[in-house]
PDB file of all heavy atoms in Angstrom:
ATOM      1  N   ALA A   1      19.678  46.193  16.764  1.00 45.00           N
ATOM      2  CA  ALA A   1      21.011  45.597  16.872  1.00 45.00           C
ATOM      3  C   ALA A   1      21.960  46.180  15.833  1.00 45.00           C
ATOM      4  O   ALA A   1      23.125  46.473  16.124  1.00 45.00           O
ATOM      5  CB  ALA A   1      20.922  44.073  16.702  1.00 45.00           C
ATOM      6  N   ASN A   2      21.467  46.365  14.617  1.00 51.00           N
ATOM      7  CA  ASN A   2      22.308  46.950  13.567  1.00 51.00           C
ATOM      8  C   ASN A   2      22.715  48.370  13.911  1.00 51.00           C
ATOM      9  O   ASN A   2      23.839  48.796  13.644  1.00 51.00           O
ATOM     10  CB  ASN A   2      21.569  46.937  12.227  1.00 51.00           C
ATOM     11  CG  ASN A   2      21.467  45.539  11.638  1.00 51.00           C
ATOM     12  OD1 ASN A   2      22.214  44.646  12.038  1.00 51.00           O
ATOM     13  ND2 ASN A   2      20.548  45.353  10.709  1.00 51.00           N
ATOM     14  N   PHE A   3      21.780  49.112  14.533  1.00 47.00           N
ATOM     15  CA  PHE A   3      22.092  50.501  14.913  1.00 47.00           C
ATOM     16  C   PHE A   3      23.152  50.541  16.004  1.00 47.00           C
ATOM     17  O   PHE A   3      24.130  51.290  15.929  1.00 47.00           O
ATOM     18  CB  PHE A   3      20.822  51.205  15.388  1.00 47.00           C
ATOM     19  CG  PHE A   3      21.070  52.575  15.948  1.00 47.00           C
ATOM     20  CD1 PHE A   3      21.276  53.651  15.103  1.00 47.00           C
ATOM     21  CD2 PHE A   3      21.109  52.783  17.311  1.00 47.00           C
ATOM     22  CE1 PHE A   3      21.504  54.920  15.612  1.00 47.00           C
ATOM     23  CE2 PHE A   3      21.349  54.041  17.831  1.00 47.00           C
ATOM     24  CZ  PHE A   3      21.534  55.102  16.980  1.00 47.00           C
ATOM     25  N   VAL A   4      22.973  49.702  17.042  1.00 47.00           N
ATOM     26  CA  VAL A   4      23.897  49.717  18.175  1.00 47.00           C
ATOM     27  C   VAL A   4      25.263  49.187  17.781  1.00 47.00           C
ATOM     28  O   VAL A   4      26.302  49.744  18.118  1.00 47.00           O
ATOM     29  CB  VAL A   4      23.316  48.888  19.352  1.00 47.00           C
ATOM     30  CG1 VAL A   4      24.341  48.752  20.466  1.00 47.00           C
ATOM     31  CG2 VAL A   4      22.045  49.535  19.867  1.00 47.00           C
ATOM     32  N   LEU A   5      25.280  48.092  17.023  1.00 46.00           N
ATOM     33  CA  LEU A   5      26.547  47.471  16.652  1.00 46.00           C
ATOM     34  C   LEU A   5      27.210  48.143  15.470  1.00 46.00           C
ATOM     35  O   LEU A   5      28.365  47.865  15.162  1.00 46.00           O
ATOM     36  CB  LEU A   5      26.328  45.976  16.342  1.00 46.00           C
ATOM     37  CG  LEU A   5      25.819  45.138  17.517  1.00 46.00           C
ATOM     38  CD1 LEU A   5      25.552  43.714  17.059  1.00 46.00           C
ATOM     39  CD2 LEU A   5      26.833  45.141  18.653  1.00 46.00           C
ATOM     40  N   GLY A   6      26.474  49.002  14.795  1.00 50.00           N
ATOM     41  CA  GLY A   6      27.079  49.719  13.684  1.00 50.00           C
ATOM     42  C   GLY A   6      27.264  48.878  12.457  1.00 50.00           C
ATOM     43  O   GLY A   6      28.293  48.956  11.787  1.00 50.00           O
ATOM     44  N   GLU A   7      26.304  48.025  12.123  1.00 52.00           N
ATOM     45  CA  GLU A   7      26.430  47.192  10.933  1.00 52.00           C
ATOM     46  C   GLU A   7      26.310  48.040   9.683  1.00 52.00           C
ATOM     47  O   GLU A   7      25.719  49.107   9.676  1.00 52.00           O
ATOM     48  CB  GLU A   7      25.341  46.109  10.928  1.00 52.00           C
ATOM     49  CG  GLU A   7      25.451  45.147  12.102  1.00 52.00           C
ATOM     50  CD  GLU A   7      26.723  44.323  12.072  1.00 52.00           C
ATOM     51  OE1 GLU A   7      27.257  44.123  10.965  1.00 52.00           O
ATOM     52  OE2 GLU A   7      27.194  43.904  13.129  1.00 52.00           O
ATOM     53  N   GLY A   8      26.874  47.540   8.609  1.00 52.00           N
ATOM     54  CA  GLY A   8      26.841  48.236   7.337  1.00 52.00           C
ATOM     55  C   GLY A   8      25.568  47.923   6.575  1.00 52.00           C
ATOM     56  O   GLY A   8      24.540  47.565   7.155  1.00 52.00           O
ATOM     57  N   PRO A   9      25.594  48.035   5.234  1.00 51.00           N
ATOM     58  CA  PRO A   9      24.428  47.746   4.438  1.00 51.00           C
ATOM     59  C   PRO A   9      24.021  46.286   4.552  1.00 51.00           C
ATOM     60  O   PRO A   9      24.778  45.449   5.022  1.00 51.00           O
ATOM     61  CB  PRO A   9      24.897  48.088   3.006  1.00 51.00           C
ATOM     62  CG  PRO A   9      26.105  48.921   3.178  1.00 51.00           C
ATOM     63  CD  PRO A   9      26.725  48.510   4.451  1.00 51.00           C
ATOM     64  N   LYS A  10      22.816  45.965   4.101  1.00 52.00           N
ATOM     65  CA  LYS A  10      22.331  44.605   4.159  1.00 52.00           C
ATOM     66  C   LYS A  10      23.228  43.702   3.325  1.00 52.00           C
ATOM     67  O   LYS A  10      23.726  44.084   2.269  1.00 52.00           O
ATOM     68  CB  LYS A  10      20.894  44.520   3.657  1.00 52.00           C
ATOM     69  CG  LYS A  10      19.889  45.187   4.590  1.00 52.00           C
ATOM     70  CD  LYS A  10      18.485  45.005   4.078  1.00 52.00           C
ATOM     71  CE  LYS A  10      17.480  45.632   5.034  1.00 52.00           C
ATOM     72  NZ  LYS A  10      16.093  45.473   4.550  1.00 52.00           N
ATOM     73  N   GLY A  11      23.402  42.446   3.772  1.00 51.00           N
ATOM     74  CA  GLY A  11      24.271  41.531   3.065  1.00 51.00           C
ATOM     75  C   GLY A  11      25.681  41.583   3.618  1.00 51.00           C
ATOM     76  O   GLY A  11      26.088  42.535   4.250  1.00 51.00           O
ATOM     77  N   THR A  12      26.413  40.485   3.398  1.00 54.00           N
ATOM     78  CA  THR A  12      27.787  40.411   3.882  1.00 54.00           C
ATOM     79  C   THR A  12      28.726  41.033   2.864  1.00 54.00           C
ATOM     80  O   THR A  12      28.757  40.601   1.706  1.00 54.00           O
ATOM     81  CB  THR A  12      28.187  38.945   4.120  1.00 54.00           C
ATOM     82  OG1 THR A  12      27.273  38.359   5.037  1.00 54.00           O
ATOM     83  CG2 THR A  12      29.595  38.864   4.688  1.00 54.00           C
ATOM     84  N   PRO A  13      29.503  42.037   3.233  1.00 59.00           N
ATOM     85  CA  PRO A  13      30.418  42.657   2.280  1.00 59.00           C
ATOM     86  C   PRO A  13      31.562  41.704   1.950  1.00 59.00           C
ATOM     87  O   PRO A  13      31.869  40.795   2.729  1.00 59.00           O
ATOM     88  CB  PRO A  13      30.920  43.892   3.035  1.00 59.00           C
ATOM     89  CG  PRO A  13      30.745  43.563   4.463  1.00 59.00           C
ATOM     90  CD  PRO A  13      29.542  42.681   4.552  1.00 59.00           C
ATOM     91  N   PRO A  14      32.226  41.895   0.814  1.00 64.00           N
ATOM     92  CA  PRO A  14      33.358  41.044   0.458  1.00 64.00           C
ATOM     93  C   PRO A  14      34.452  41.104   1.515  1.00 64.00           C
ATOM     94  O   PRO A  14      34.567  42.066   2.271  1.00 64.00           O
ATOM     95  CB  PRO A  14      33.833  41.634  -0.883  1.00 64.00           C
ATOM     96  CG  PRO A  14      32.651  42.366  -1.415  1.00 64.00           C
ATOM     97  CD  PRO A  14      31.894  42.866  -0.228  1.00 64.00           C
ATOM     98  N   GLU A  15      35.286  40.055   1.542  1.00 69.00           N
ATOM     99  CA  GLU A  15      36.336  39.964   2.550  1.00 69.00           C
ATOM    100  C   GLU A  15      37.290  41.150   2.485  1.00 69.00           C
ATOM    101  O   GLU A  15      37.691  41.690   3.521  1.00 69.00           O
ATOM    102  CB  GLU A  15      37.116  38.655   2.347  1.00 69.00           C
ATOM    103  CG  GLU A  15      38.187  38.408   3.398  1.00 69.00           C
ATOM    104  CD  GLU A  15      37.600  38.195   4.785  1.00 69.00           C
ATOM    105  OE1 GLU A  15      36.438  37.742   4.892  1.00 69.00           O
ATOM    106  OE2 GLU A  15      38.303  38.517   5.760  1.00 69.00           O
ATOM    107  N   ARG A  16      37.640  41.579   1.286  1.00 67.00           N
ATOM    108  CA  ARG A  16      38.562  42.716   1.157  1.00 67.00           C
ATOM    109  C   ARG A  16      37.952  43.998   1.697  1.00 67.00           C
ATOM    110  O   ARG A  16      38.647  44.829   2.275  1.00 67.00           O
ATOM    111  CB  ARG A  16      38.966  42.903  -0.308  1.00 67.00           C
ATOM    112  CG  ARG A  16      40.056  41.953  -0.768  1.00 67.00           C
ATOM    113  CD  ARG A  16      40.508  42.311  -2.151  1.00 67.00           C
ATOM    114  NE  ARG A  16      39.397  42.260  -3.096  1.00 67.00           N
ATOM    115  CZ  ARG A  16      39.421  42.832  -4.293  1.00 67.00           C
ATOM    116  NH1 ARG A  16      40.469  43.529  -4.670  1.00 67.00           N
ATOM    117  NH2 ARG A  16      38.397  42.727  -5.113  1.00 67.00           N
ATOM    118  N   VAL A  17      36.638  44.166   1.506  1.00 67.00           N
ATOM    119  CA  VAL A  17      35.962  45.350   2.032  1.00 67.00           C
ATOM    120  C   VAL A  17      35.993  45.333   3.561  1.00 67.00           C
ATOM    121  O   VAL A  17      36.306  46.342   4.208  1.00 67.00           O
ATOM    122  CB  VAL A  17      34.515  45.425   1.514  1.00 67.00           C
ATOM    123  CG1 VAL A  17      33.768  46.576   2.172  1.00 67.00           C
ATOM    124  CG2 VAL A  17      34.502  45.589  -0.001  1.00 67.00           C
ATOM    125  N   ARG A  18      35.711  44.187   4.131  1.00 70.00           N
ATOM    126  CA  ARG A  18      35.747  44.090   5.594  1.00 70.00           C
ATOM    127  C   ARG A  18      37.160  44.320   6.132  1.00 70.00           C
ATOM    128  O   ARG A  18      37.348  44.946   7.174  1.00 70.00           O
ATOM    129  CB  ARG A  18      35.227  42.718   6.033  1.00 70.00           C
ATOM    130  CG  ARG A  18      33.706  42.589   5.962  1.00 70.00           C
ATOM    131  CD  ARG A  18      33.233  41.265   6.479  1.00 70.00           C
ATOM    132  NE  ARG A  18      33.594  40.186   5.557  1.00 70.00           N
ATOM    133  CZ  ARG A  18      33.426  38.895   5.823  1.00 70.00           C
ATOM    134  NH1 ARG A  18      32.934  38.537   6.986  1.00 70.00           N
ATOM    135  NH2 ARG A  18      33.745  37.979   4.941  1.00 70.00           N
ATOM    136  N   TRP A  19      38.169  43.828   5.406  1.00 74.00           N
ATOM    137  CA  TRP A  19      39.545  44.030   5.830  1.00 74.00           C
ATOM    138  C   TRP A  19      39.916  45.506   5.801  1.00 74.00           C
ATOM    139  O   TRP A  19      40.557  46.012   6.727  1.00 74.00           O
ATOM    140  CB  TRP A  19      40.482  43.236   4.916  1.00 74.00           C
ATOM    141  CG  TRP A  19      41.928  43.348   5.321  1.00 74.00           C
ATOM    142  CD1 TRP A  19      42.582  42.628   6.281  1.00 74.00           C
ATOM    143  CD2 TRP A  19      42.896  44.256   4.780  1.00 74.00           C
ATOM    144  NE1 TRP A  19      43.898  43.025   6.374  1.00 74.00           N
ATOM    145  CE2 TRP A  19      44.125  44.026   5.461  1.00 74.00           C
ATOM    146  CE3 TRP A  19      42.858  45.222   3.781  1.00 74.00           C
ATOM    147  CZ2 TRP A  19      45.277  44.735   5.174  1.00 74.00           C
ATOM    148  CZ3 TRP A  19      44.012  45.941   3.498  1.00 74.00           C
ATOM    149  CH2 TRP A  19      45.206  45.691   4.187  1.00 74.00           C
ATOM    150  N   LEU A  20      39.487  46.209   4.763  1.00 72.00           N
ATOM    151  CA  LEU A  20      39.765  47.646   4.672  1.00 72.00           C
ATOM    152  C   LEU A  20      39.070  48.418   5.786  1.00 72.00           C
ATOM    153  O   LEU A  20      39.629  49.358   6.357  1.00 72.00           O
ATOM    154  CB  LEU A  20      39.326  48.176   3.306  1.00 72.00           C
ATOM    155  CG  LEU A  20      40.190  47.769   2.106  1.00 72.00           C
ATOM    156  CD1 LEU A  20      39.538  48.211   0.793  1.00 72.00           C
ATOM    157  CD2 LEU A  20      41.590  48.357   2.224  1.00 72.00           C
ATOM    158  N   ILE A  21      37.840  48.010   6.118  1.00 74.00           N
ATOM    159  CA  ILE A  21      37.116  48.659   7.213  1.00 74.00           C
ATOM    160  C   ILE A  21      37.844  48.438   8.535  1.00 74.00           C
ATOM    161  O   ILE A  21      38.012  49.364   9.348  1.00 74.00           O
ATOM    162  CB  ILE A  21      35.671  48.124   7.298  1.00 74.00           C
ATOM    163  CG1 ILE A  21      34.867  48.506   6.058  1.00 74.00           C
ATOM    164  CG2 ILE A  21      34.987  48.645   8.558  1.00 74.00           C
ATOM    165  CD1 ILE A  21      34.632  49.993   5.906  1.00 74.00           C
ATOM    166  N   VAL A  22      38.297  47.191   8.761  1.00 77.00           N
ATOM    167  CA  VAL A  22      39.031  46.882   9.992  1.00 77.00           C
ATOM    168  C   VAL A  22      40.312  47.705  10.080  1.00 77.00           C
ATOM    169  O   VAL A  22      40.669  48.215  11.156  1.00 77.00           O
ATOM    170  CB  VAL A  22      39.347  45.372  10.067  1.00 77.00           C
ATOM    171  CG1 VAL A  22      40.331  45.076  11.203  1.00 77.00           C
ATOM    172  CG2 VAL A  22      38.068  44.582  10.274  1.00 77.00           C
ATOM    173  N   GLU A  23      41.005  47.861   8.961  1.00 80.00           N
ATOM    174  CA  GLU A  23      42.227  48.667   8.954  1.00 80.00           C
ATOM    175  C   GLU A  23      41.931  50.120   9.323  1.00 80.00           C
ATOM    176  O   GLU A  23      42.683  50.752  10.076  1.00 80.00           O
ATOM    177  CB  GLU A  23      42.890  48.601   7.578  1.00 80.00           C
ATOM    178  CG  GLU A  23      43.601  47.304   7.291  1.00 80.00           C
ATOM    179  CD  GLU A  23      44.735  47.034   8.265  1.00 80.00           C
ATOM    180  OE1 GLU A  23      45.625  47.904   8.393  1.00 80.00           O
ATOM    181  OE2 GLU A  23      44.708  45.984   8.933  1.00 80.00           O
ATOM    182  N   GLN A  24      40.844  50.633   8.812  1.00 80.00           N
ATOM    183  CA  GLN A  24      40.461  52.003   9.162  1.00 80.00           C
ATOM    184  C   GLN A  24      40.128  52.115  10.648  1.00 80.00           C
ATOM    185  O   GLN A  24      40.470  53.109  11.296  1.00 80.00           O
ATOM    186  CB  GLN A  24      39.260  52.438   8.314  1.00 80.00           C
ATOM    187  CG  GLN A  24      39.580  52.695   6.856  1.00 80.00           C
ATOM    188  CD  GLN A  24      40.549  53.853   6.666  1.00 80.00           C
ATOM    189  OE1 GLN A  24      40.491  54.838   7.397  1.00 80.00           O
ATOM    190  NE2 GLN A  24      41.439  53.728   5.702  1.00 80.00           N
ATOM    191  N   GLN A  25      39.474  51.081  11.197  1.00 83.00           N
ATOM    192  CA  GLN A  25      39.119  51.111  12.617  1.00 83.00           C
ATOM    193  C   GLN A  25      40.359  51.057  13.496  1.00 83.00           C
ATOM    194  O   GLN A  25      40.419  51.717  14.548  1.00 83.00           O
ATOM    195  CB  GLN A  25      38.188  49.934  12.955  1.00 83.00           C
ATOM    196  CG  GLN A  25      36.887  49.903  12.156  1.00 83.00           C
ATOM    197  CD  GLN A  25      35.939  51.026  12.539  1.00 83.00           C
ATOM    198  OE1 GLN A  25      36.358  52.134  12.860  1.00 83.00           O
ATOM    199  NE2 GLN A  25      34.659  50.755  12.484  1.00 83.00           N
ATOM    200  N   VAL A  26      41.350  50.260  13.086  1.00 87.00           N
ATOM    201  CA  VAL A  26      42.596  50.177  13.855  1.00 87.00           C
ATOM    202  C   VAL A  26      43.294  51.538  13.875  1.00 87.00           C
ATOM    203  O   VAL A  26      43.751  52.015  14.929  1.00 87.00           O
ATOM    204  CB  VAL A  26      43.526  49.099  13.267  1.00 87.00           C
ATOM    205  CG1 VAL A  26      44.920  49.181  13.902  1.00 87.00           C
ATOM    206  CG2 VAL A  26      42.941  47.711  13.482  1.00 87.00           C
TER     207      VAL A  26
END
């Protein structure tokens, strides 16, 4: 599931990190 969905490292990244990733994806 992690491979297909493209999850990052283990553990939940900080909110700002996830926001920056989302901005890059957009």
Side-chain angles (χ1 to χ4, degrees):
N2 287 342
F3 173 78
V4 173
L5 298 176
E7 297 295 334
K10 291 183 178 180
T12 303
E15 184 65 27
R16 280 187 301 163
V17 174
R18 283 184 289 173
W19 182 83
L20 288 173
I21 295 294
V22 169
E23 285 299 305
Q24 288 296 324
Q25 301 290 35
V26 170

